[in-house]
Amino acid sequence: MSSADIRDMLDLPSQAPSSTRPPPAKRAKTDGKKLDGIHRELHNLLGENTHAVAVMQNKFKEKPNWMQKPSPWVWTPFKNRARKDDLELYHWVRGTPTDDEYPFAKFNKDVEVPTYTQEEYDKALADTAWTPRETAYLFDLCREYDLRWLVIQDRYEYEPEENEPPSIRTLEDLKERYYFCCRKLMELRRDASGVDWTPRDLEQYNAMNFNKDKEVMRKQYLERLLSRSPAEIAEEERLILEYRRLQESSKKLVQDRKELLRLLESPQTANSFAQHQTPQGLSQLAGNILASDKNKRRKGMPDTAAQVAGTPGSRGPDGTPTAGAHPQAIGQAQQPQAAGGQNGVHGTKQTQPQTGRGPAPATPAVSKAELAQSATAKKVAKRVPPGEENLYGISYHDKLVQGVYLRSTKISTLKPTVQAKVASILAELGIAPKLAMPTAKVSDRCEALQQAINLLIETKKQADKLEHEVKVLSSSNAGQQSDAK
Amino acid sequence: MSGGSKRLKNLQICRPFVYGNMAVPLKEDRSPEIPTDHTHSWTVFLKGVNGDDLSSFVKRVVFKLHETYANSTRSIEEPPFEVTETGWGEFEISIRVYFVPEASEKNVVMYHHLKLHPYGPEAEQQKTNGATVTSMQYDEFVFNEPTESLFEILTKKPGAVLPAQKSMLVPFSVESENEELDRLSDAHAKVQANIRRLTERIHVLEQENSALQSL
């Protein structure tokens, strides 16, 4: 008993053999991936085959040696080489005291404050605001206090001689004087010895470029910055944010502006329009437009004019394209006539542009024959003998969407629910949903059939509705009658 | 060629064609290169009705086979537009038709389910016979507003002629077209009869309705 037999007995449709076959199997994912680096470690930690125990390092101390005698500590005197006096102090030293240098002596570094001779001073360092004595005092202080300006300024207690004005020196004054002197000394010494500076010397020279005003202002700024109130701080933050936002949006604005400009500039005129700006140019332009319009109308005129005429006989003279003006006149003459809806329709159609020269649906035969007379048809007629158009599959249609398609793809579109009902009715009638031979005639007829079925469905709906109403009314009447009795 | 790229308005040309496949079970004595699990040798094709030559307006046909085939995208540039292969499974083949450049048209695609096993009421019998299985579909290329060059190409010879009689070799003919037309007409007639019946019923019901309402 094969499945085909069973299906036959039960009147089931035959099963498509393909559904029993599984689709060609996909290759299974191989598990032999190579893992690299971090993935391997991770896989080791989390995946299969994890290490049972993690590696631990031995961090024990060495075993202490109990046998050895401990070394003694000795109270030893020492001298600090960095001190200028010969002070001897004592400290504990482990084991036997060596006579090494005191280890902290090496930290006694001095700042290199230059010394100058009187000649050098006279040559380069003379200044109206500073006496040599004061300068020397300053330098001594610098040497003493290792160029620590705050300390120097604090300890600055210069006692001027009787004929000198009292000296009130700010920190900046002192710095300025010091750096000025140092720079001048460097220059002087370089010029005197002829040895140019090393890069390091140059760096030092540049570093000593002290600008008093700038320094003063800088300190003022800092002062102000520190003394802001919280409100001021918030305000400033807000302003900064706004500024940043504006910056970003400005970028966007610039881009938008560029786009706009590009758009505005884009339609480049091929010829300059200066020639059209004169009155003659304008009239010429108008003439050109009219002429091209006429040309377009001329092609369409034979159709509508002949339709208005309505008889095949009058098609002869109208069939020629040179009769452009006449059909237009005839058409316009016919327009005032209200004779029959047909004319009116065609009258309105005339005002439509070229593409809308479709005839009213009421006269399809006339229009198709009309199209047969059009310019396209003439070209066709040259190639194909008139009666044999069928053999070439040529047909004429009103409005065509340009392009190529398969006829089997052009099936009518209805709402999906409706389409389902239509399909079921088609099945009842014994017509397969996919046409066996979708030729022009067949597909047209199929379309007509589907429309008819659609109509049938709607009629049935209406009939059902009416039946229901009748039932309701009759039952209510019966109820009334029984009440009346 | 006169004025190639202008399009002929309101003109529609159609060219019928046939596409599908044939399959034949592989016999015992077959070339050893074919893998042992292949059971059938099949050919998928696209050709004209009557053996017409489509290459006048078809530049190339691309058959996209199942991915498991080597070079699964087969591009055929010359007639006959067909691909012959061996295999064991049925799958969907996409057939993409490219037209000659004079046509200035984009390509169209259709799908065909490759049939290897016999189907229908005589399936069992056909299986034992080792008969050739065919599955073909008739369709038409419809060119709306063709370019002048394409028009010239298509009108060199009458291309829309169907053979008159149906036969084993010619499954699509005027005869079969008429059969389909008749079927459709019958169905149409039945539907119209039903519509008439229903409209009559509607009249009756409307009269009843108005009668009842006037009560």
Side-chain angles (χ1 to χ4, degrees), chain A residues 391 398 402 407-408 445, chain B residues 7 10 139-140 152 160 185:
Chain A
L391 298 178
D398 215 13
Q402 206 183 76
R407 212 188 275 286
S408 54
R445 210 167 283 200
Chain B
R7 286 188 174 266
N10 303 314
D139 210 333
E140 296 185 349
E152 307 232 351
S185 304

Side-chain angles (χ1 to χ4, degrees), chain A residues 373-431:
Chain A
Q373 294 288 325
S374 64
T376 317
K378 270 171 221 57
K379 286 191 188 136
V380 175
K382 282 186 217 155
R383 296 276 305 185
V384 175
E388 292 180 13
E389 279 151 10
N390 278 356
L391 298 178
Y392 290 87
I394 293 177
S395 57
Y396 301 97
H397 296 269
D398 215 13
K399 283 189 186 164
L400 279 179
V401 179
Q402 206 183 76
V404 63
Y405 62 90
L406 293 166
R407 212 188 275 286
S408 54
T409 53
K410 284 280 178 184
I411 28 180
S412 66
T413 45
L414 296 165
K415 276 192 288 195
T417 46
V418 180
Q419 188 69 35
K421 281 198 205 131
V422 169
S424 65
I425 293 185
L426 275 174
E428 263 186 51
L429 290 165
I431 308 253

Side-chain angles (χ1 to χ4, degrees), chain B residues 50-71:
Chain B
N50 273 349
D52 276 350
D53 181 24
L54 298 175
S55 59
S56 54
F57 61 94
V58 168
K59 183 167 82 149
R60 141 170 112 236
V61 179
V62 176
F63 296 91
K64 217 189 277 257
L65 313 177
H66 197 271
E67 300 92 56
T68 47
Y69 281 96
N71 303 324

